[in-house]
Amino acid sequence: KGSFAGSVNDTEHDSGREKQLSSSAMDISVEDLALSGNSLSPDAKIDLRNKLSFILHSMAAIHEDIGYCQGMDYVVAHLLRILQETIKWKAANNGLPSVISTASCIETPTTTQPEDYKAIYQEVDENHVVEETVLYVMDIFFTNYNLKHMYWPELRCLKTCCRVFERLIQIKLPVLADHFEHHDLNVGLFALGWFQTLFLYLPSMPTATVCHMWDIWLVERSFKIFFPCWNSYFVFEPTNSPQSRFGRDDDILEHNS
């Protein structure tokens, strides 16, 4: 489905999918899946889609050498999903840093009462405060955390990561590597999307697991956390239910430690 804001007419589809998943005795809630969007109303999806478009166009203008590359929308959509309410609350309480210029346009009372938040949140949306804040976070990801290398023209860094990952599979999981070779399966067929979206491309990935891995990535400022996580993906994958392969994110993170 792409990002959670990719469709505004999928209510019936999501409802049917939720029943199908629950009948399969899954351990993961549908709403808990990263970017699932099943708990969002059509109006919320339209709003998030507009914010997503605004941010992606701004990113392409700021980083002209990269422009837009497939996979950016997943990362931005995830940031929107987990940060939007926090950004609005901080804007209403004058808690955003001064680098967010649009936050200074918000008129807030000295003491914010519960009944004031609705009007303030509307003003926040009108001034694109959420968009600017998420754009600033993405720019930090690009410059300070080297995420831009995943989207360079010709995708050289991305292809290098895939070769490293393929070699790790050969070393750590030789049986699986032989299976891939027997079926002439290139690891890049699925690993490219994983790297470009920082694991968000996996439809069965719980939000909490993604956030835990991102926490380690941001603290260490290194992509190395993702390599053992990908190996763990195959180690912990049960044969009976492909949708529940990440039912316990603590198992995966403990395995990587």
Side-chain angles (χ1 to χ4, degrees):
K1 189 187 296 187
S3 68
F4 57 73
S7 173
V8 296
N9 299 313
D10 56 359
T11 305
E12 295 181 359
H13 169 76
D14 290 337
S15 177
R17 182 171 180 269
E18 184 174 357
K19 292 179 181 178
Q20 179 183 1
L21 296 179
S22 61
S23 65
S24 300
M26 281 180 46
D27 296 327
I28 302 173
S29 169
V30 175
E31 285 76 10
D32 186 48
L33 302 181
L35 305 186
S36 65
N38 295 302
S39 59
L40 298 174
S41 66
D43 289 339
K45 290 183 180 182
I46 292 174
D47 177 61
L48 289 169
R49 184 183 62 186
N50 292 336
K51 286 183 171 68
L52 181 65
S53 176
F54 184 98
I55 297 168
L56 292 174
H57 278 88
S58 301
M59 286 293 299
I62 294 172
H63 299 275
E64 295 182 349
D65 53 336
I66 299 176
Y68 170 77
C69 181
Q70 185 178 4
M72 291 181 185
D73 56 330
Y74 281 79
V75 180
V76 174
H78 185 63
L79 289 174
L80 273 173
R81 179 184 180 183
I82 63 177
L83 294 180
Q84 179 171 230
E85 293 304 317
T86 300
I87 294 171
K88 288 183 177 181
W89 185 86
K90 283 185 173 290
N93 292 275
N94 297 314
L96 290 176
S98 57
V99 70
I100 309 300
S101 59
T102 52
S104 61
C105 303
I106 308 301
E107 297 181 3
T108 56
T110 305
T111 304
T112 305
Q113 301 298 324
E115 59 269 17
D116 298 329
Y117 281 102
K118 184 176 181 180
I120 295 174
Y121 285 2
Q122 184 176 355
E123 191 176 357
V124 167
D125 285 336
E126 291 174 353
N127 286 277
H128 302 290
V129 177
V130 173
E131 292 92 320
E132 184 185 358
T133 306
V134 174
L135 176 63
Y136 179 73
V137 173
M138 277 296 292
D139 190 59
I140 293 295
F141 280 5
F142 267 43
T143 55
N144 292 10
Y145 292 90
N146 298 318
L147 183 60
K148 64 181 179 181
H149 294 302
M150 292 297 174
Y151 309 111
W152 277 120
E154 300 183 13
L155 304 178
R156 277 179 244 166
C157 179
L158 187 61
K159 294 174 182 176
T160 299
C161 289
C162 287
R163 286 195 292 270
V164 172
F165 180 46
E166 185 174 19
R167 181 57 181 156
L168 283 175
I169 292 178
Q170 294 172 353
I171 296 173
K172 300 293 184 178
L173 302 169
V175 175
L176 181 63
D178 290 342
H179 180 73
F180 284 166
E181 184 177 359
H182 175 74
H183 292 280
D184 196 23
L185 178 62
N186 188 342
V187 172
L189 290 175
F190 53 86
L192 282 172
W194 293 1
F195 275 106
Q196 281 186 310
T197 64
L198 303 181
F199 253 127
L200 292 167
Y201 195 67
L202 280 167
S204 59
M205 176 67 73
T207 302
T209 308
V210 174
C211 292
H212 286 323
M213 289 188 296
W214 282 30
D215 286 343
I216 300 174
W217 167 54
L218 294 176
V219 169
E220 296 191 358
R221 297 198 177 197
S222 172
F223 288 107
K224 65 183 181 181
I225 175 61
F226 295 109
F227 288 106
C229 281
W230 278 310
N231 279 328
S232 301
Y233 177 81
F234 295 112
V235 171
F236 286 100
E237 178 185 12
T239 57
N240 56 348
S241 177
Q243 291 291 346
S244 61
R245 55 188 54 153
F246 273 109
R248 293 195 57 194
D249 56 337
D250 54 333
D251 285 345
I252 297 170
L253 296 176
E254 181 180 355
H255 176 74
N256 293 330
S257 65

